Amino acid sequence: MNSKKETIQSKICSLLDGSTYSPLSRSIEYFIVTVVIFNVLMIILESISELSQAYSNFFYNFEIFSVIVFTIEYIARVWSYGAKYSSENNSWKGRKEYIFSFYGLIDFFATAPFYLQLLFPGSDLRFLRVFRLLRIFKLSRYNSALQDLGEAVVAERESFYSAIFLLVIACLLFSSLIYIVEGETQPEI
């Protein structure tokens, strides 16, 4: 029974990770990418007050659908990552590795506002809705562009430090010049 559980965990882990090419793995990836894209689109459309009022039920139902999908994905990933270190008999090592990874934190914080709203129904937690936009980072799991950008930033960090230093000097210089030129004509705040 235990080896059957480990086999299922390994299969789910490889399906969700995309480490093995299979039509089911690709279908899961495409489904999640589609849900993320529609989710971000819904967040944008919901910010338009006329659309928000007219389609509030649709937006809410889609949010519930998205949270269910992302919660199932998160739970499946946490559970299946236990198979990564099953040979060491330490399934929690793999689970902790995922939970505290970049993608694990994104997955968690992308759904947290919904559950916090359920826990504290009378509270005004609208400011937490910005965390829903973190869902867009889920796309970087399926595209290497963000990883490439990160590697380029790390590789060129000395150049970035120099550019930031020059930017700070330019800001200080030009803000001082503007103050000298316009300081007398501007009202006090």
Side-chain angles (χ1 to χ4, degrees):
M1 174 68 182
N2 202 18
S3 66
K4 186 176 181 180
K5 178 182 138 189
E6 289 174 4
T7 305
I8 293 171
Q9 272 184 318
S10 297
K11 286 182 181 179
I12 291 175
C13 186
S14 65
L15 278 174
L16 291 175
D17 247 5
S19 56
T20 58
Y21 179 79
S22 73
L24 181 58
S25 178
R26 293 294 170 231
S27 298
I28 291 170
E29 285 181 9
Y30 291 145
F31 176 71
I32 292 173
V33 166
T34 304
V35 171
V36 169
I37 290 171
F38 278 123
N39 208 282
V40 171
L41 182 64
M42 293 301 158
I43 291 170
I44 293 168
L45 292 175
E46 190 178 19
S47 69
I48 302 168
S49 61
E50 294 86 20
L51 292 176
S52 179
Q53 292 170 359
Y55 299 103
S56 62
N57 285 338
F58 177 75
F59 289 134
Y60 183 73
N61 290 334
F62 190 79
E63 174 68 12
I64 288 174
F65 170 75
S66 300
V67 168
I68 289 170
V69 168
F70 296 144
T71 301
I72 290 170
E73 178 200 13
Y74 182 75
I75 290 170
R77 284 185 188 277
V78 169
W79 179 74
S80 67
Y81 268 61
K84 287 182 88 170
Y85 296 100
S86 62
S87 61
E88 297 175 20
N89 229 3
N90 192 358
S91 62
W92 281 104
K93 185 176 181 180
R95 291 179 181 138
K96 283 190 290 186
E97 184 178 293
Y98 172 71
I99 289 171
F100 295 108
S101 70
F102 173 75
Y103 294 118
L105 292 172
I106 292 294
D107 289 346
F108 177 77
F109 285 115
T111 57
F114 180 83
Y115 291 114
L116 286 173
Q117 194 70 43
L118 287 179
L119 290 173
F120 306 107
S123 303
D124 185 18
L125 300 174
R126 285 180 291 181
F127 68 94
L128 292 177
R129 291 179 140 192
V130 77
F131 284 117
R132 290 168 48 195
L133 286 173
L134 291 175
R135 294 173 186 169
I136 201 162
F137 286 112
K138 292 171 75 64
L139 295 176
S140 65
R141 178 181 286 139
Y142 307 108
N143 188 341
S144 66
L146 193 62
Q147 293 169 339
D148 294 343
L149 177 65
E151 291 170 6
V153 168
V154 169
E156 297 296 325
R157 66 181 169 271
E158 297 299 322
S159 300
F160 281 111
Y161 293 149
S162 298
I164 290 171
F165 179 71
L166 292 174
L167 181 65
V168 168
I169 289 174
C171 285
L172 288 172
L173 177 68
F174 287 111
S175 62
S176 298
L177 285 173
I178 289 172
Y179 179 76
I180 290 168
V181 172
E182 295 184 356
E184 296 295 318
T185 59
Q186 293 297 321
E188 299 225 7
I189 297 177

